[in-house]
Amino acid sequence: MIREKVKVSTRTLKWKCVESRVDSKRLSYGRFILSPLMKGQADTIGIAMRRILLGEIEGTCITRAKFEKIPHEYSTIVGIQESIHEILMNLKEIVLRSNLYGTRDASICFKGPGYVTAQDIILPPSVEIIDNTQHIANLTEPIHLCIELQIERNRGYRIKTLNNIQDGSYTIDAVFMPVRNANHSIHSYVNGNEKQEILFLEIWTNGSLTPKEALYEASRNLIDLFIPFLHAEEENLNLEFELENNQDEFTLPFFPFHQRLFEQNLKKRKKNIAWKSIFIDQLDLPPRIYNCLKRSNIHTLFELVNTSQEDLMKMEHFRVKDVNFIFTMLKIKYSPC
């Protein structure tokens, strides 16, 4: 454990790590301060940083496992102590670190008897395991266990769906978030006649990132979100929306939103960068619509307007009136005054 005395600068805004420790291979802790801040600024920064830390930092995990000749997830195999479901839960707990994009393949080929652990996974070069001792299965007989794995880098979480099970391939609840928890607290003090604040930020990670690395990633992501506002005049989009009067019989053509809404001067405007920086978290969507979009890996406004109605309607629990709601919401928020 590393501890340092807190020294508050009264001249320049500075940050400092005042405590750092590694509790285990899969749990790291860091405590940081930012000071001096004017009254109210600490809460503004703390809330924003916590949201970014918990929801926007990318991580890597196993998202799919394929077994040979397995009828269903709750099957048992002679010679293996765990059921298939238990093996999938153990695979979910494995913490990975990588800079990969997209998906990669990995595998396990183990001959019993013996304990199968994370170190038995054959990984692509760009991926490493944080804790090689993570238990996967116990083979009690001299049999072969072969599992094909899919590894993916993303953010947030993705819940598995039963309709994704096919040919012995099972999806795994994907928890991409490398930050396990984040808290902020504020200390107020008086400097002369002025009230100032110190922001304390606590970060717990799963070991794939250090708390300092997580803080850097979150800060960079937060800055990227505000960059479009520096070019607000250049990004004066002329959006046109067409809505049916009868909302119960609302229909849409089967092409992406942007072909309908943004076809005027599309190539002349540099809006794509701005729209990629607007996340659906900022759109005040109802929880059900928000969760449907998240489960389908639609995270930004750019991805949303480039999704056709046909693809939206293929989402589980998504309805025509939900598309109507999205169009109405976009008109209110982004149509010209």
Side-chain angles (χ1 to χ4, degrees), residues 202-237:
E202 296 179 289
I203 303 172
W204 291 262
T205 69
N206 64 2
S208 62
L209 288 179
T210 66
K212 186 179 290 187
E213 289 173 330
L215 182 64
Y216 170 79
E217 290 291 334
S219 302
R220 188 177 63 179
N221 289 350
L222 189 58
I223 291 171
D224 289 343
L225 289 177
F226 286 99
I227 287 178
F229 294 105
L230 300 177
H231 309 285
E233 294 183 0
E234 300 176 9
E235 304 295 340
N236 183 21
L237 306 181

Side-chain angles (χ1 to χ4, degrees), residues 111-277:
K111 182 179 180 180
Y115 291 96
V116 184
T117 62
Q119 68 179 354
D120 298 306
I121 302 177
I122 303 172
L123 294 167
S126 58
V127 183
E128 64 176 295
I129 296 174
I130 299 302
D131 185 4
N132 286 325
T133 64
Q134 170 63 41
H135 177 75
I136 298 176
N138 179 18
L139 275 61
T140 58
E141 296 183 13
I143 63 172
H144 282 89
L145 175 64
C146 294
I147 310 175
E148 296 178 17
L149 303 174
Q150 179 178 287
I151 296 172
E152 185 177 344
R153 179 180 176 87
N154 211 316
R155 64 187 171 191
Y157 63 92
R158 185 169 65 227
I159 300 176
K160 68 177 180 180
T161 54
L162 295 177
N163 56 6
N164 285 337
I165 300 175
Q166 52 187 356
D167 302 327
S169 179
Y170 300 89
T171 55
I172 301 174
D173 290 338
V175 183
F176 297 104
M177 300 175 290
V179 177
R180 288 188 172 186
N181 196 12
N183 288 328
H184 82 277
S185 58
I186 301 168
H187 171 70
S188 300
Y189 65 99
V190 177
N191 182 19
N193 295 325
E194 184 179 3
K195 289 186 178 181
Q196 295 184 336
E197 297 177 340
I198 305 174
L199 172 65
F200 289 84
L201 192 62
E202 296 179 289
I203 303 172
W204 291 262
T205 69
N206 64 2
S208 62
L209 288 179
T210 66
K212 186 179 290 187
E213 289 173 330
L215 182 64
Y216 170 79
E217 290 291 334
S219 302
R220 188 177 63 179
N221 289 350
L222 189 58
I223 291 171
D224 289 343
L225 289 177
F226 286 99
I227 287 178
F229 294 105
L230 300 177
H231 309 285
E233 294 183 0
E234 300 176 9
E235 304 295 340
N236 183 21
L237 306 181
N238 182 20
L239 311 183
E240 294 185 358
F241 295 82
E242 300 176 6
L243 294 173
E244 299 287 344
N245 292 328
N246 190 339
Q247 296 187 2
D248 294 331
E249 299 178 357
F250 184 79
T251 58
L252 293 172
F254 290 90
F255 47 69
F257 286 160
H258 75 80
Q259 283 185 251
R260 183 179 186 183
L261 307 180
F262 317 114
E263 56 188 5
Q264 291 187 356
N265 301 324
L266 182 62
K267 294 182 179 179
K268 295 182 181 179
R269 303 184 183 276
K270 301 177 181 178
K271 71 176 187 331
N272 286 354
I273 296 176
W275 283 50
K276 289 178 180 178
S277 300

